[in-house]
Structures are given as structure tokens and as C-alpha cells.
Amino acid sequence: MDPRRVLFLLLCLLIAVPVVAQEEDAGKPDSPLVQRTREHLKTYDARRDREANAAWRSRALALADSLEADGEHGMASQCLERAGILHYFAGDLDAALAVWERGLAAARLSDDDRRIAALLNARASGISATGDNEAALAAHFETLE
């Protein structure tokens, strides 16, 4: 089986895992922005046509901008991860990698190890898809840290 397909399948599995609120956020009521984002993320479906995915991706990127401005880095990183996946599906690997890098930076600000791991894996999968084996190997080793 093609290694890129295996990496893609692993990436899809990571996305299918529901995100659990961190303990310190459990008692805090969600802001209207976070509520809108949660509703938007529920509509994620990579099987839609390109135009629908492009619209979903644009909305997710706009929400990520607002979330980052409000300090909601964990939720922003989730939007960025999924937006990157839709770039990946559209065949725009450079855009996918750029979005995942931004998502990784946001996840690191949130100190959410699951989000960081998911974005490291997404980035490593994207680099693997570019065919740069040396960079892909380095990215995959970073996921082990």
C-alpha cells in the first residue's frame, strides 16, 4: 500500500477522535464565538464537493482568526487542523502545510498535548505527501517527542 495513503488514513483517524474539553475549561461557560465554532466544526465533512469544502474552509479560517484574537488557541488549532485537511484534499499541499504550521503554533499556546500531537501528525503526513523524504522523516521523529 502506498505510504501516503497510510498516512492519510492515520490522519483521518486522528480527526475522528472527539476533542474533550480540558479540566480547567470544564466549568467555564463558552463564549458565543466558541459556541459558533463548535457548531461549525460539527458540520465538517470532507466528502463534500470542492466548492462546499472551500466555503467551509474559509469559514473555519475566519473563525480561527477570531478565536486566536480572543485567546482561544485550542479551538483555533482545531479549526486550522481541519481547514488544512481540506486544503490537502484539494491538492494544495503548500497551503495545507502553512495552515497546519499555524495550527501547531496555536496548539502549543494552548498546551493541549492531544492537539499538538494531531497537528504534528498532520504536518508530517503533508510533508510526506510532498515527496521530501528527509523532511518527512524529521517531521515524523518530531511526533515521537
Side-chain angles (χ1 to χ4, degrees), residues 89-104:
F89 287 157
D92 192 353
L93 296 178
D94 292 335
L97 289 169
V99 170
W100 286 330
E101 285 291 342
R102 184 176 156 208
L104 183 57

Side-chain angles (χ1 to χ4, degrees), residues 2 7 29 71-72 89 92 104 106 114 124 129 132 135 144:
D2 183 12
L7 291 172
E72 295 284 350
F89 287 157
D92 192 353
L104 183 57
R114 280 184 70 188
D132 186 349
L144 299 174

Side-chain angles (χ1 to χ4, degrees), residues 76-90:
S77 71
Q78 188 173 355
C79 287
L80 293 166
E81 177 188 6
R82 291 186 183 179
I85 290 166
L86 294 179
H87 274 298
Y88 182 93
F89 287 157

Side-chain angles (χ1 to χ4, degrees), residues 71-79 106-107 109-110 112 115:
E72 295 284 350
H73 300 290
M75 186 67 69
S77 71
Q78 188 173 355
C79 287
L109 289 172
S110 74
D112 184 344
R115 301 283 343 126

Side-chain angles (χ1 to χ4, degrees), residues 8-91:
F8 173 73
L9 291 173
L10 289 173
L11 180 63
C12 288
L13 287 173
L14 281 174
I15 291 168
V17 176
V19 176
V20 179
Q22 293 190 10
E23 286 182 25
E24 63 267 10
D25 293 338
K28 181 175 100 175
D30 290 335
S31 70
L33 176 61
V34 170
Q35 290 172 359
R36 282 195 314 270
T37 302
R38 287 188 196 282
E39 290 303 313
H40 183 67
L41 290 172
K42 287 179 187 176
T43 66
Y44 176 79
D45 183 1
R47 296 171 294 192
R48 289 186 294 239
D49 62 33
R50 284 181 158 229
E51 291 168 5
N53 277 340
W56 194 97
R57 184 179 60 231
S58 294
R59 178 76 175 131
L61 291 171
L63 284 167
D65 289 340
S66 298
L67 289 162
E68 284 182 307
D70 281 358
E72 295 284 350
H73 300 290
M75 186 67 69
S77 71
Q78 188 173 355
C79 287
L80 293 166
E81 177 188 6
R82 291 186 183 179
I85 290 166
L86 294 179
H87 274 298
Y88 182 93
F89 287 157

